Amino acid sequence: MSLESESAREWLERRFSRDASGRYFAHQPIYGFASPHSEPGHLQRLSRTLHMLRVVSRLGTRTMLDIGGGEGYFAFLCRELLGISAAMVELPQSACERASELFGIPAVTADAARLPFADGEFDLVVCSEVMEHVVAPHVVASELMRVSRWHVLITTEQLCCCAGEQNLRLRLRDPADPHPDRNFFTREDLRAMFGEPLYEASEYWDFIPRDEARLSLAKATRLVLAHSRADKISTRATGVVYVAAKPNAANPGEPALDEQRALEMMLAPLVADPTANPNRTPAKWPLELPAPVDGAGREVGAAPEWARKFEMSNTAKSGERIRLSRRLRSYERWRLLNAPEPVWDKLAWLAKRTLRW
């Protein structure tokens, strides 16, 4: 039984497909920094990725399974920079095809709530920017922990500072969106799903410039290095990088990442252009990795009481949505104006207010 909606699966299938001319609009910055042929927000994406690579380099990982790995970007970097044997799970077949042809990453299509692997098969299981989209996050969390031998690493931008903010964001979800942010978490939710963290920090410092096309590579490098070094959960930072450990996991060592090499690789084009398709032969499943098997996932039980708040039926209607939207905008303005650094963002907001008057 799939826990993902058919509308989400169809949307993702289209998202990771090539268009009629053979071009592929990338999810990650695989065509180089500031390329218009991939989703915007490169500084944020690169800062998160560098942070994750630094964390993974401490874990002594030999094998990795990336859940929801898109076109295989992070799995590829872990293979090339850290020597990890990596495979991937994605919901749409089109994403598995992109991972295989672009980066030679073996991938299998499956629901994250029923992973086709036996218990404890991979040293590390990664699930980045996925937990906010899944129908039953507590079930997915259980599956991630099940197939991991040592560690689970998750990231999500949708971390709320308190239950009040979480309630606002959950009530304002859009049930008509085929691929919405369904889940907004608190730290207590993460502990309920994964236990006490081995590592926990914000993904990157907030208010990264978004006009990346105007930045030089030198400036982008400095910004990515600075923003990727968030070392705690902070209200002036975004999201969370969270590492859960199994009882038999060794303590992490010192970072073993060559950050200069990593940044040079991430900022340069990894793929020549949007029409490049260097390898149409499906990537072979590595002998050192366990092969997927049917029917390995656990049976899904009833949701625990604390997880029922994530059900999409718990959204506001009509007039209540307007009222709650105003409250959320007020909270976001307060957060912006109380942050120490983003002077230009504050001035832009004040200018808009002045023009309205």
Side-chain angles (χ1 to χ4, degrees):
M1 178 185 70
S2 173
L3 291 185
E4 299 298 337
S5 69
E6 283 305 310
S7 60
R9 185 186 295 270
E10 291 168 4
W11 186 91
L12 287 166
E13 201 69 64
R14 292 192 299 272
R15 168 63 192 87
F16 287 99
S17 293
R18 293 182 179 275
D19 66 18
S21 67
R23 299 174 69 85
Y24 173 59
F25 184 72
H27 176 54
Q28 296 283 8
I30 67 175
Y31 304 121
F33 180 70
S35 168
H37 303 298
S38 55
E39 291 181 22
H42 287 193
L43 287 173
Q44 288 88 340
R45 295 172 187 276
L46 293 168
S47 298
R48 176 196 299 125
T49 299
L50 185 61
H51 190 166
M52 292 170 64
L53 286 168
R54 191 183 300 120
V55 171
V56 171
S57 76
R58 301 177 58 194
L59 300 179
T61 299
R62 298 185 302 270
T63 60
M64 183 185 91
L65 183 66
D66 190 358
I67 310 297
E71 63 270 287
Y73 174 74
F74 186 69
F76 169 79
L77 291 173
C78 286
R79 186 183 71 194
E80 298 300 307
L81 293 167
L82 302 175
I84 295 171
S85 186
M88 202 182 82
V89 167
E90 255 291 1
L91 190 61
Q93 179 62 33
S94 57
C96 297
E97 292 169 356
R98 300 293 83 73
S100 176
E101 70 187 19
L102 295 173
F103 296 116
I105 297 296
V108 60
T109 180
D111 192 321
R114 286 189 66 84
L115 295 173
F117 298 98
D119 297 358
E121 292 275 37
F122 295 88
D123 293 348
L124 171 66
V125 176
V126 174
C127 189
S128 179
E129 308 306 302
V130 173
M131 291 294 291
E132 62 269 26
H133 298 298
V134 301
V135 172
H138 62 289
V139 176
V140 172
S142 177
E143 280 290 271
L144 302 181
M145 295 297 287
R146 181 183 67 79
V147 302
S148 164
R149 182 179 298 118
W150 293 341
H151 300 104
V152 170
L153 184 155
I154 72 155
T155 78
T156 178
E157 288 192 357
Q158 309 308 342
L159 183 73
C160 300
C161 67
C162 61
E165 182 194 352
Q166 180 188 47
N167 182 60
L168 269 178
R169 295 191 183 279
L170 288 174
R171 297 282 286 159
L172 287 169
R173 293 172 296 173
D174 182 4
D177 188 337
H179 190 57
D181 287 339
R182 304 177 64 101
N183 311 307
F184 294 84
F185 303 102
T186 63
R187 296 171 78 181
E188 290 72 24
D189 295 326
L190 297 179
R191 283 155 176 75
M193 291 188 289
F194 297 102
E196 288 296 319
L198 180 69
Y199 176 89
E200 180 185 45
S202 297
E203 294 182 8
Y204 48 81
W205 297 116
D206 221 339
F207 306 109
I208 300 178
R210 291 186 177 271
D211 54 346
E212 54 206 28
R214 301 183 182 183
L215 296 177
S216 67
L217 282 180
K219 176 67 170 178
T221 299
R222 290 195 296 272
L223 285 170
V224 170
L225 273 173
H227 282 270
S228 70
R229 294 192 182 279
D231 57 358
K232 59 185 178 181
I233 298 292
S234 171
T235 54
R236 55 173 289 260
T238 294
V240 64
V241 177
Y242 193 100
V243 179
K246 302 290 280 288
N248 60 337
N251 290 326
E254 292 298 315
L257 176 70
D258 183 339
E259 295 194 9
Q260 186 61 38
R261 182 186 172 213
L263 279 168
E264 288 174 358
M265 181 178 289
M266 291 159 57
L267 289 163
L270 297 177
V271 178
D273 62 68
T275 60
N277 190 3
N279 180 16
R280 290 189 179 274
T281 304
K284 293 183 178 179
W285 202 269
L287 294 177
E288 66 271 20
L289 292 181
V293 294
D294 292 333
R298 288 176 179 163
E299 291 301 319
V300 177
E305 185 63 35
W306 65 267
R308 293 178 184 170
K309 60 190 170 187
F310 298 124
E311 294 173 1
M312 286 298 282
S313 57
N314 299 327
T315 54
K317 306 293 190 298
S318 57
E320 186 183 9
R321 291 188 71 86
I322 296 173
R323 179 176 60 83
L324 293 177
S325 295
R326 288 171 179 163
R327 285 181 57 188
L328 183 59
R329 286 197 298 272
S330 295
Y331 165 78
E332 290 172 340
R333 285 196 296 268
W334 172 87
R335 185 165 175 260
L336 169 67
L337 295 174
N338 281 275
E341 284 92 356
V343 175
W344 290 111
D345 296 279
K346 293 179 183 180
L347 291 175
W349 179 80
L350 289 170
K352 289 179 181 178
R353 295 291 294 179
T354 302
L355 289 173
R356 286 179 187 172
W357 294 333

